[in-house]
Amino acid sequence: MAWRLDPVRRLRGQVRVPGDKSISHRMAMLSAIAEGETVIEGYSESADCVATLSCLRQLGVRIQAIPGGVRVGGAGKQGLRHSPTTLDAANSGTTIRLLAGILAGQPFETQITGDASLRRRPMRRIIEPLRRMGATISAVDDNLAPLVIRGGPLRGITQAASVASAQVKSCLLLAGLFAEGETTVIEAIPTRDHTERLLGAFGVPVVVTETTRTVSGGYRLQSPGRLRAPGDFSSAAFLLAAGLMVEPSALTIEGVGLNPTRTGMLTALQQSGTEIVVANARLEGGEPVGDLWVDATMARPTRPLRLEGALTANAIDEIPILAVLGARFAGLSVADAGELRVKESDRLALMVHNLRAMGVEVEEHPDGLTIPGGQRFRGAAIETAGDHRIAMAFAVAALTAEGPTTIDDAACVRVSFPDFFTVLERLQR
Ligand code: S3P
Protein backbone atom coordinates (compact mmCIF):
# COMPACT_ATOMS: atom_id res chain seq x y z
CA MET A 1 0.00 0.00 0.00
CA ALA A 2 1.53 3.33 -1.10
CA TRP A 3 1.03 6.30 1.23
CA ARG A 4 1.08 9.97 0.30
CA LEU A 5 2.47 12.56 2.68
CA ASP A 6 2.24 16.31 2.26
CA PRO A 7 4.33 18.90 4.11
CA VAL A 8 2.77 19.89 7.45
CA ARG A 9 2.36 23.26 9.11
CA ARG A 10 2.77 22.22 12.73
CA LEU A 11 2.93 19.27 15.15
CA ARG A 12 1.62 19.26 18.68
CA GLY A 13 0.27 16.94 21.33
CA GLN A 14 1.05 14.18 23.78
CA VAL A 15 1.71 10.70 22.59
CA ARG A 16 2.68 7.22 23.77
CA VAL A 17 4.72 4.91 21.59
CA PRO A 18 4.40 1.09 21.47
CA GLY A 19 6.07 -1.02 24.13
CA ASP A 20 9.78 -1.58 23.60
CA LYS A 21 10.29 -4.26 20.97
CA SER A 22 13.67 -5.51 22.23
CA ILE A 23 12.42 -5.75 25.79
CA SER A 24 9.07 -7.34 24.81
CA HIS A 25 10.79 -10.21 22.96
CA ARG A 26 13.00 -10.93 25.95
CA MET A 27 10.13 -10.71 28.45
CA ALA A 28 8.12 -13.24 26.45
CA MET A 29 11.02 -15.68 25.99
CA LEU A 30 12.16 -15.59 29.62
CA SER A 31 8.54 -15.88 30.85
CA ALA A 32 8.11 -18.94 28.60
CA ILE A 33 11.00 -20.83 30.22
CA ALA A 34 10.27 -19.62 33.76
CA GLU A 35 8.22 -21.26 36.47
CA GLY A 36 4.92 -19.52 37.14
CA GLU A 37 2.69 -17.19 35.20
CA THR A 38 3.86 -13.75 34.02
CA VAL A 39 1.66 -10.83 33.02
CA ILE A 40 3.51 -8.52 30.63
CA GLU A 41 1.94 -5.07 30.49
CA GLY A 42 2.67 -2.88 27.50
CA TYR A 43 3.84 -5.85 25.41
CA SER A 44 4.63 -4.52 21.94
CA GLU A 45 1.91 -5.12 19.35
CA SER A 46 4.51 -4.97 16.60
CA ALA A 47 4.54 -7.76 14.00
CA ASP A 48 8.04 -8.73 15.24
CA CYS A 49 6.84 -9.33 18.79
CA VAL A 50 3.70 -11.11 17.57
CA ALA A 51 6.06 -13.46 15.69
CA THR A 52 7.87 -14.26 18.94
CA LEU A 53 4.57 -15.14 20.63
CA SER A 54 3.48 -17.42 17.80
CA CYS A 55 6.84 -19.26 17.82
CA LEU A 56 6.55 -19.76 21.58
CA ARG A 57 2.97 -21.03 21.19
CA GLN A 58 4.20 -23.57 18.65
CA LEU A 59 6.66 -24.75 21.28
CA GLY A 60 3.75 -25.47 23.62
CA VAL A 61 3.74 -22.27 25.69
CA ARG A 62 0.31 -21.01 26.82
CA ILE A 63 -0.06 -17.34 25.92
CA GLN A 64 -3.20 -15.29 26.25
CA ALA A 65 -3.85 -11.74 25.06
CA ILE A 66 -5.26 -9.59 27.88
CA PRO A 67 -6.20 -5.88 27.85
CA GLY A 68 -2.96 -3.91 27.60
CA GLY A 69 -0.66 -6.90 27.37
CA VAL A 70 -0.24 -10.67 27.43
CA ARG A 71 -0.24 -13.45 30.00
CA VAL A 72 2.41 -16.15 29.58
CA GLY A 73 2.11 -19.50 31.35
CA GLY A 74 5.71 -20.44 32.10
CA ALA A 75 6.60 -23.91 30.86
CA GLY A 76 9.80 -24.03 32.93
CA LYS A 77 13.23 -24.74 31.50
CA GLN A 78 12.35 -28.33 30.61
CA GLY A 79 8.78 -27.68 29.50
CA LEU A 80 9.05 -26.64 25.83
CA ARG A 81 7.70 -29.19 23.33
CA HIS A 82 8.82 -30.21 19.86
CA SER A 83 6.96 -28.35 17.11
CA PRO A 84 6.08 -30.56 14.13
CA THR A 85 5.79 -27.43 11.97
CA THR A 86 8.48 -24.86 11.10
CA LEU A 87 8.59 -21.78 13.34
CA ASP A 88 8.21 -18.48 11.49
CA ALA A 89 10.17 -15.50 12.84
CA ALA A 90 8.75 -13.35 10.00
CA ASN A 91 10.89 -10.17 9.67
CA SER A 92 12.41 -10.41 13.14
CA GLY A 93 16.16 -10.90 13.64
CA THR A 94 15.70 -10.77 17.42
CA THR A 95 13.14 -13.61 17.31
CA ILE A 96 15.27 -16.00 15.29
CA ARG A 97 18.63 -15.22 16.94
CA LEU A 98 17.46 -15.20 20.56
CA LEU A 99 15.15 -18.20 20.17
CA ALA A 100 18.02 -20.11 18.56
CA GLY A 101 19.85 -19.80 21.89
CA ILE A 102 16.92 -21.38 23.75
CA LEU A 103 16.37 -24.05 21.07
CA ALA A 104 20.03 -25.05 21.27
CA GLY A 105 19.32 -26.22 24.82
CA GLN A 106 16.26 -28.38 23.98
CA PRO A 107 16.36 -32.16 23.60
CA PHE A 108 14.55 -32.03 20.25
CA GLU A 109 14.93 -30.66 16.73
CA THR A 110 13.34 -27.40 15.58
CA GLN A 111 13.15 -25.72 12.20
CA ILE A 112 12.93 -21.94 12.18
CA THR A 113 12.74 -19.55 9.25
CA GLY A 114 11.51 -16.09 8.33
CA ASP A 115 10.49 -13.83 5.46
CA ALA A 116 12.66 -13.10 2.41
CA SER A 117 14.49 -10.27 4.21
CA LEU A 118 15.30 -12.40 7.27
CA ARG A 119 16.44 -15.29 5.07
CA ARG A 120 19.14 -12.98 3.66
CA ARG A 121 20.56 -12.00 7.07
CA PRO A 122 23.73 -13.60 8.48
CA MET A 123 23.28 -16.37 11.05
CA ARG A 124 26.84 -17.75 11.12
CA ARG A 125 27.53 -15.35 13.99
CA ILE A 126 25.23 -17.47 16.20
CA ILE A 127 25.64 -20.85 14.48
CA GLU A 128 29.38 -21.14 15.15
CA PRO A 129 29.35 -20.39 18.89
CA LEU A 130 26.21 -22.50 19.45
CA ARG A 131 27.97 -25.42 17.76
CA ARG A 132 30.96 -24.89 20.04
CA MET A 133 28.54 -25.20 22.95
CA GLY A 134 27.34 -28.58 21.61
CA ALA A 135 24.27 -27.85 19.44
CA THR A 136 23.86 -29.34 15.96
CA ILE A 137 22.71 -26.73 13.46
CA SER A 138 22.28 -26.75 9.72
CA ALA A 139 21.60 -23.71 7.57
CA VAL A 140 21.53 -22.65 3.93
CA ASP A 141 25.16 -22.06 2.86
CA ASP A 142 25.95 -22.71 6.52
CA ASN A 143 24.80 -19.13 7.21
CA LEU A 144 21.19 -18.41 6.28
CA ALA A 145 17.71 -19.41 7.51
CA PRO A 146 15.91 -21.78 7.49
CA LEU A 147 17.89 -23.11 10.45
CA VAL A 148 17.48 -26.65 11.74
CA ILE A 149 18.55 -26.74 15.36
CA ARG A 150 19.01 -29.98 17.25
CA GLY A 151 19.66 -29.12 20.85
CA GLY A 152 21.61 -31.24 23.21
CA PRO A 153 23.61 -31.12 26.36
CA LEU A 154 25.50 -27.84 26.13
CA ARG A 155 28.73 -26.78 27.76
CA GLY A 156 29.55 -23.20 28.68
CA ILE A 157 32.07 -21.33 26.54
CA THR A 158 33.86 -18.01 26.50
CA GLN A 159 33.16 -16.19 23.29
CA ALA A 160 34.48 -12.86 22.04
CA ALA A 161 31.74 -11.11 20.05
CA SER A 162 32.70 -11.02 16.36
CA VAL A 163 30.36 -8.06 15.81
CA ALA A 164 28.83 -5.56 18.23
CA SER A 165 25.48 -7.32 18.50
CA ALA A 166 23.06 -7.61 21.39
CA GLN A 167 21.28 -10.34 19.45
CA VAL A 168 24.40 -12.52 19.38
CA LYS A 169 25.22 -11.76 23.01
CA SER A 170 21.67 -12.53 24.13
CA CYS A 171 21.52 -15.74 22.07
CA LEU A 172 24.62 -17.04 23.86
CA LEU A 173 23.49 -15.95 27.32
CA LEU A 174 20.16 -17.73 26.75
CA ALA A 175 21.94 -20.89 25.58
CA GLY A 176 24.17 -20.52 28.66
CA LEU A 177 21.11 -21.00 30.88
CA PHE A 178 20.95 -24.61 29.58
CA ALA A 179 24.71 -25.26 29.60
CA GLU A 180 26.97 -26.91 32.09
CA GLY A 181 29.29 -24.39 33.72
CA GLU A 182 29.73 -20.74 32.83
CA THR A 183 29.10 -18.97 29.55
CA THR A 184 30.93 -15.67 29.06
CA VAL A 185 30.47 -13.20 26.22
CA ILE A 186 33.27 -10.68 25.74
CA GLU A 187 32.05 -7.40 24.26
CA ALA A 188 34.62 -4.86 23.08
CA ILE A 189 31.78 -2.42 22.37
CA PRO A 190 28.84 -2.47 24.79
CA THR A 191 25.42 -3.30 23.31
CA ARG A 192 21.92 -3.05 24.75
CA ASP A 193 21.76 -4.86 28.08
CA HIS A 194 18.06 -5.72 28.40
CA THR A 195 18.74 -9.47 28.60
CA GLU A 196 21.16 -9.01 31.49
CA ARG A 197 18.74 -6.76 33.39
CA LEU A 198 15.76 -9.07 32.84
CA LEU A 199 17.61 -12.24 33.83
CA GLY A 200 18.09 -10.61 37.21
CA ALA A 201 14.31 -10.09 37.48
CA PHE A 202 13.87 -13.84 36.89
CA GLY A 203 16.34 -14.69 39.66
CA VAL A 204 19.34 -15.54 37.46
CA PRO A 205 22.50 -13.64 38.38
CA VAL A 206 24.60 -12.22 35.55
CA VAL A 207 28.16 -11.30 36.40
CA VAL A 208 28.97 -8.09 34.55
CA THR A 209 32.42 -6.54 34.14
CA GLU A 210 33.39 -3.70 31.83
CA THR A 211 33.82 -6.11 28.89
CA THR A 212 32.26 -9.45 29.93
CA ARG A 213 28.83 -10.87 30.72
CA THR A 214 28.69 -14.29 32.40
CA VAL A 215 25.78 -16.62 33.22
CA SER A 216 25.89 -20.05 34.83
CA GLY A 217 23.70 -22.97 33.84
CA GLY A 218 21.69 -24.75 36.46
CA TYR A 219 19.50 -21.87 37.63
CA ARG A 220 15.74 -22.21 37.42
CA LEU A 221 13.96 -19.06 36.28
CA GLN A 222 11.25 -17.81 38.63
CA SER A 223 8.53 -15.59 37.20
CA PRO A 224 8.48 -12.12 38.78
CA GLY A 225 4.66 -12.25 38.32
CA ARG A 226 4.23 -8.91 36.54
CA LEU A 227 6.45 -6.98 34.12
CA ARG A 228 5.94 -3.74 32.25
CA ALA A 229 7.62 -2.90 28.93
CA PRO A 230 8.47 0.82 28.64
CA GLY A 231 7.75 2.79 25.46
CA ASP A 232 10.18 2.01 22.64
CA PHE A 233 12.90 4.67 22.33
CA SER A 234 13.51 3.48 18.76
CA SER A 235 9.90 4.37 17.87
CA ALA A 236 9.97 7.63 19.86
CA ALA A 237 13.06 8.60 17.84
CA PHE A 238 10.95 9.29 14.72
CA LEU A 239 8.51 11.54 16.59
CA LEU A 240 11.34 13.32 18.35
CA ALA A 241 12.94 14.03 15.00
CA ALA A 242 9.61 15.18 13.57
CA GLY A 243 9.30 17.61 16.48
CA LEU A 244 12.77 19.00 15.69
CA MET A 245 12.10 19.32 11.95
CA VAL A 246 8.62 20.87 11.92
CA GLU A 247 8.20 24.40 13.22
CA PRO A 248 6.17 25.19 15.20
CA SER A 249 5.95 22.03 17.25
CA ALA A 250 5.30 21.02 20.85
CA LEU A 251 5.42 17.29 21.52
CA THR A 252 5.53 15.21 24.67
CA ILE A 253 6.36 11.55 24.22
CA GLU A 254 5.40 9.80 27.43
CA GLY A 255 6.88 6.79 29.20
CA VAL A 256 9.84 6.17 26.91
CA GLY A 257 12.56 3.65 27.83
CA LEU A 258 15.85 5.54 28.33
CA ASN A 259 18.28 2.71 28.94
CA PRO A 260 21.72 4.30 28.35
CA THR A 261 22.67 1.45 25.98
CA ARG A 262 19.86 2.68 23.68
CA THR A 263 19.94 6.48 23.83
CA GLY A 264 22.99 7.21 21.66
CA MET A 265 20.71 9.37 19.50
CA LEU A 266 20.18 11.72 22.45
CA THR A 267 23.94 11.83 23.09
CA ALA A 268 24.68 12.63 19.44
CA LEU A 269 21.99 15.32 19.42
CA GLN A 270 23.23 16.86 22.65
CA GLN A 271 26.81 16.89 21.33
CA SER A 272 25.53 18.76 18.26
CA GLY A 273 23.99 21.48 20.43
CA THR A 274 20.36 20.24 20.45
CA GLU A 275 18.17 20.71 23.48
CA ILE A 276 15.80 17.89 24.41
CA VAL A 277 14.12 17.79 27.78
CA VAL A 278 13.78 14.54 29.69
CA ALA A 279 11.07 14.89 32.33
CA ASN A 280 9.81 12.52 35.05
CA ALA A 281 12.94 10.35 34.86
CA ARG A 282 12.29 7.18 36.86
CA LEU A 283 13.11 3.46 37.09
CA GLU A 284 10.39 0.99 36.08
CA GLY A 285 11.11 -2.70 36.52
CA GLY A 286 14.87 -2.16 36.37
CA GLU A 287 14.79 0.02 33.23
CA PRO A 288 15.16 3.85 33.17
CA VAL A 289 12.05 5.58 31.79
CA GLY A 290 11.10 9.22 31.20
CA ASP A 291 9.03 11.64 29.10
CA LEU A 292 10.66 13.42 26.17
CA TRP A 293 9.73 17.03 25.33
CA VAL A 294 10.56 18.92 22.24
CA ASP A 295 9.19 22.30 21.21
CA ALA A 296 9.94 24.95 18.65
CA THR A 297 11.67 27.27 21.11
CA MET A 298 14.44 24.77 21.87
CA ALA A 299 17.88 24.72 20.27
CA ARG A 300 18.32 22.66 17.05
CA PRO A 301 21.65 21.07 16.00
CA THR A 302 24.30 23.67 15.18
CA ARG A 303 27.24 21.24 14.85
CA PRO A 304 27.40 18.06 12.71
CA LEU A 305 26.08 14.84 14.20
CA ARG A 306 29.06 12.50 14.59
CA LEU A 307 28.68 8.77 15.12
CA GLU A 308 31.49 6.26 15.38
CA GLY A 309 32.56 3.30 17.53
CA ALA A 310 30.44 2.74 20.61
CA LEU A 311 28.08 5.60 19.75
CA THR A 312 27.28 4.04 16.37
CA ALA A 313 26.50 0.69 18.05
CA ASN A 314 24.35 2.40 20.65
CA ALA A 315 22.31 4.34 18.06
CA ILE A 316 22.33 1.63 15.37
CA ASP A 317 18.55 1.61 14.75
CA GLU A 318 18.34 5.41 14.82
CA ILE A 319 20.87 6.11 12.06
CA PRO A 320 18.24 6.39 9.28
CA ILE A 321 16.41 9.15 11.17
CA LEU A 322 19.68 10.79 12.27
CA ALA A 323 20.66 10.97 8.59
CA VAL A 324 17.47 12.92 7.88
CA LEU A 325 18.18 15.29 10.79
CA GLY A 326 21.80 15.71 9.69
CA ALA A 327 20.82 16.67 6.15
CA ARG A 328 18.31 19.24 7.38
CA PHE A 329 20.48 20.81 10.11
CA ALA A 330 24.26 20.86 10.48
CA GLY A 331 25.38 17.67 8.69
CA LEU A 332 26.23 14.13 9.76
CA SER A 333 29.12 11.70 9.60
CA VAL A 334 28.66 8.03 10.46
CA ALA A 335 31.49 5.48 10.67
CA ASP A 336 31.73 1.86 11.90
CA ALA A 337 28.20 1.17 10.68
CA GLY A 338 28.83 -1.76 8.31
CA GLU A 339 26.16 -3.70 10.27
CA LEU A 340 23.55 -1.45 8.64
CA ARG A 341 24.11 -3.36 5.41
CA VAL A 342 22.71 -6.55 6.99
CA LYS A 343 19.65 -5.17 8.78
CA GLU A 344 16.08 -5.55 7.43
CA SER A 345 17.56 -4.05 4.25
CA ASP A 346 20.96 -2.68 3.23
CA ARG A 347 20.12 0.50 5.09
CA LEU A 348 23.19 2.46 3.99
CA ALA A 349 22.42 1.87 0.31
CA LEU A 350 18.70 2.54 0.75
CA MET A 351 19.27 5.74 2.72
CA VAL A 352 21.60 7.03 0.03
CA HIS A 353 19.14 6.11 -2.72
CA ASN A 354 16.20 7.83 -1.04
CA LEU A 355 18.13 10.89 0.15
CA ARG A 356 19.30 11.46 -3.43
CA ALA A 357 15.72 10.97 -4.68
CA MET A 358 14.75 13.83 -2.33
CA GLY A 359 17.48 16.03 -3.81
CA VAL A 360 19.91 15.62 -0.89
CA GLU A 361 23.65 15.38 -1.40
CA VAL A 362 25.24 12.40 0.38
CA GLU A 363 28.49 10.45 0.21
CA GLU A 364 28.36 6.68 0.78
CA HIS A 365 31.25 4.75 2.42
CA PRO A 366 31.57 0.99 2.90
CA ASP A 367 30.68 1.41 6.58
CA GLY A 368 29.11 4.83 6.82
CA LEU A 369 27.86 8.09 5.32
CA THR A 370 28.77 11.75 5.15
CA ILE A 371 25.99 14.27 4.62
CA PRO A 372 26.47 18.04 4.37
CA GLY A 373 24.02 20.08 6.43
CA GLY A 374 21.52 22.80 5.62
CA GLN A 375 19.79 20.87 2.82
CA ARG A 376 16.14 20.98 1.78
CA PHE A 377 14.06 17.89 0.94
CA ARG A 378 12.14 17.66 -2.32
CA GLY A 379 9.04 15.42 -2.32
CA ALA A 380 9.84 12.08 -3.98
CA ALA A 381 8.80 8.45 -4.44
CA ILE A 382 10.45 6.57 -1.55
CA GLU A 383 11.50 2.93 -1.91
CA THR A 384 11.41 1.11 1.42
CA ALA A 385 12.21 -2.49 0.38
CA GLY A 386 9.74 -3.32 3.17
CA ASP A 387 12.06 -1.82 5.82
CA HIS A 388 10.03 -0.17 8.59
CA ARG A 389 12.76 2.21 9.74
CA ILE A 390 13.42 3.46 6.20
CA ALA A 391 9.67 4.08 5.75
CA MET A 392 9.41 6.09 8.99
CA ALA A 393 12.64 8.06 8.52
CA PHE A 394 11.57 9.26 5.07
CA ALA A 395 8.01 9.92 6.23
CA VAL A 396 9.55 12.41 8.69
CA ALA A 397 11.66 13.96 5.91
CA ALA A 398 8.45 14.33 3.89
CA LEU A 399 6.87 16.51 6.59
CA THR A 400 9.13 19.41 5.64
CA ALA A 401 9.68 18.59 1.96
CA GLU A 402 8.71 20.73 -0.95
CA GLY A 403 5.82 18.88 -2.61
CA PRO A 404 4.24 15.52 -1.87
CA THR A 405 6.10 12.29 -1.08
CA THR A 406 4.91 8.72 -1.52
CA ILE A 407 6.12 5.81 0.59
CA ASP A 408 5.85 2.65 -1.52
CA ASP A 409 4.99 0.22 1.29
CA ALA A 410 3.55 2.10 4.25
CA ALA A 411 2.20 -1.11 5.81
CA CYS A 412 5.75 -2.23 6.66
CA VAL A 413 5.67 0.04 9.73
CA ARG A 414 3.63 -2.72 11.42
CA VAL A 415 6.99 -4.45 12.05
CA SER A 416 7.67 -2.03 14.94
CA PHE A 417 5.11 0.83 15.10
CA PRO A 418 1.74 -0.23 13.63
CA ASP A 419 0.00 3.12 14.37
CA PHE A 420 2.81 5.34 13.13
CA PHE A 421 0.89 7.09 10.34
CA THR A 422 -2.25 7.51 12.45
CA VAL A 423 -0.21 9.08 15.26
CA LEU A 424 1.53 11.41 12.82
CA GLU A 425 -1.84 12.56 11.44
CA ARG A 426 -3.27 13.15 14.91
CA LEU A 427 -0.30 15.34 15.89
CA GLN A 428 -0.95 17.61 12.89
CA ARG A 429 -4.43 18.66 14.06
C1 S3P B 1 18.28 -5.81 18.81
C2 S3P B 1 19.61 -5.58 18.59
C3 S3P B 1 20.13 -4.85 17.43
C4 S3P B 1 19.05 -4.00 16.78
C5 S3P B 1 17.76 -4.73 16.60
C6 S3P B 1 17.24 -5.25 17.93
C7 S3P B 1 17.90 -6.61 19.99
O1 S3P B 1 20.60 -5.77 16.48
O2 S3P B 1 19.49 -3.50 15.54
O3 S3P B 1 16.78 -3.88 16.02
O4 S3P B 1 16.70 -6.64 20.34
O5 S3P B 1 18.77 -7.25 20.57
P1 S3P B 1 22.09 -6.37 16.60
O6 S3P B 1 22.25 -6.78 17.99
O7 S3P B 1 22.21 -7.50 15.66
O8 S3P B 1 22.97 -5.20 16.22
Side-chain angles (χ1 to χ4, degrees), residues 43-85:
Y43 188 84
S44 167
E45 288 175 5
S46 65
D48 274 11
C49 292
V50 170
T52 286
L53 295 184
S54 58
C55 291
L56 291 171
R57 284 195 180 105
Q58 277 180 264
L59 294 165
V61 182
R62 284 178 302 107
I63 299 172
Q64 198 190 348
I66 55 171
V70 294
R71 179 182 290 133
V72 182
K77 267 171 82 182
Q78 265 73 50
L80 300 182
R81 296 282 164 262
H82 165 74
S83 167
T85 49

Side-chain angles (χ1 to χ4, degrees), residues 316-332:
I316 195 73
D317 291 339
E318 284 64 69
I319 289 174
I321 190 61
L322 282 165
V324 168
L325 287 174
R328 172 74 188 83
F329 294 109
L332 160 123

Side-chain angles (χ1 to χ4, degrees), residues 22 26 94 164-167 192 316-317 343 389:
S22 285
R26 288 158 170 83
T94 307
S165 166
Q167 292 180 353
R192 62 191 70 190
I316 195 73
D317 291 339
K343 292 290 179 191
R389 298 202 203 280

Side-chain angles (χ1 to χ4, degrees), residues 5-11 242 246-248 398-401 424 428:
L5 286 146
D6 290 297
V8 303
R9 277 176 301 130
R10 65 166 187 218
L11 284 179
V246 175
E247 287 196 54
L399 300 179
T400 59
L424 214 51
Q428 291 169 34

Side-chain angles (χ1 to χ4, degrees), residues 53 58 65 99 117-118 122 137-138 149 171 207 228 231 233 237 243 248 263 302 308 310 315 333 340 353 358 365 396:
L53 295 184
Q58 277 180 264
L99 260 186
S117 151
L118 192 62
I137 303 180
S138 61
I149 304 174
C171 166
V207 180
R228 180 167 184 77
F233 180 82
T263 49
T302 50
E308 58 182 358
S333 66
L340 287 178
H353 173 81
M358 294 190 97
H365 315 298
V396 171

Side-chain angles (χ1 to χ4, degrees), residues 3-302:
W3 189 269
R4 178 182 154 136
L5 286 146
D6 290 297
V8 303
R9 277 176 301 130
R10 65 166 187 218
L11 284 179
R12 57 167 189 192
Q14 288 185 347
V15 62
R16 277 191 175 272
V17 289
D20 188 282
K21 192 157 78 72
S22 285
I23 296 176
S24 294
H25 287 297
R26 288 158 170 83
M27 286 177 168
M29 290 184 202
L30 293 185
S31 300
I33 55 168
E35 287 164 27
E37 189 176 272
T38 310
V39 168
I40 309 174
E41 294 170 5
Y43 188 84
S44 167
E45 288 175 5
S46 65
D48 274 11
C49 292
V50 170
T52 286
L53 295 184
S54 58
C55 291
L56 291 171
R57 284 195 180 105
Q58 277 180 264
L59 294 165
V61 182
R62 284 178 302 107
I63 299 172
Q64 198 190 348
I66 55 171
V70 294
R71 179 182 290 133
V72 182
K77 267 171 82 182
Q78 265 73 50
L80 300 182
R81 296 282 164 262
H82 165 74
S83 167
T85 49
T86 302
L87 308 189
D88 184 3
N91 193 241
S92 174
T94 307
T95 304
I96 195 168
R97 295 198 179 109
L98 270 61
L99 260 186
I102 292 177
L103 295 172
Q106 306 306 314
F108 51 77
E109 186 174 283
T110 307
Q111 288 217 33
I112 183 162
T113 191
D115 67 9
S117 151
L118 192 62
R119 292 196 308 271
R120 282 192 295 269
R121 297 178 64 186
M123 298 297 148
R124 190 168 291 135
R125 53 185 65 190
I126 57 160
I127 294 173
E128 283 180 349
L130 289 176
R131 279 184 184 150
R132 279 185 61 219
M133 293 179 81
T136 306
I137 303 180
S138 61
V140 176
D141 296 333
D142 217 28
N143 187 29
L144 305 175
L147 306 180
V148 182
I149 304 174
R150 169 160 281 283
L154 302 182
R155 52 189 171 272
I157 58 167
T158 295
Q159 176 74 34
S162 52
V163 277
S165 166
Q167 292 180 353
V168 174
K169 169 179 68 177
S170 300
C171 166
L172 300 183
L173 294 178
L174 291 174
L177 299 176
F178 297 90
E180 202 181 304
E182 291 186 341
T183 299
T184 298
V185 181
I186 306 174
E187 283 198 308
I189 290 182
T191 61
R192 62 191 70 190
D193 64 359
H194 306 304
T195 305
E196 295 91 305
R197 288 176 189 247
L198 262 181
L199 280 169
F202 282 84
V204 178
V206 182
V207 180
V208 174
T209 71
E210 207 179 317
T211 54
T212 64
R213 317 279 177 263
T214 302
V215 291
S216 300
Y219 283 96
R220 285 151 68 152
L221 286 79
Q222 298 295 341
S223 165
R226 193 169 282 274
L227 291 167
R228 180 167 184 77
D232 198 327
F233 180 82
S234 297
S235 296
F238 297 103
L239 301 179
L240 194 64
L244 289 171
M245 302 263 294
V246 175
E247 287 196 54
S249 67
L251 298 183
T252 304
I253 315 168
E254 294 172 329
V256 182
L258 295 173
N259 181 312
T261 60
R262 292 283 297 282
T263 49
M265 175 178 178
L266 293 185
T267 311
L269 283 170
Q270 275 149 7
Q271 287 171 352
S272 75
T274 319
E275 203 181 313
I276 286 163
V277 175
V278 175
N280 299 322
R282 57 198 185 267
L283 259 187
E284 273 181 20
E287 289 278 351
V289 176
D291 303 337
L292 297 173
W293 293 357
V294 51
D295 80 46
T297 63
M298 292 173 175
R300 281 17 187 189
T302 50

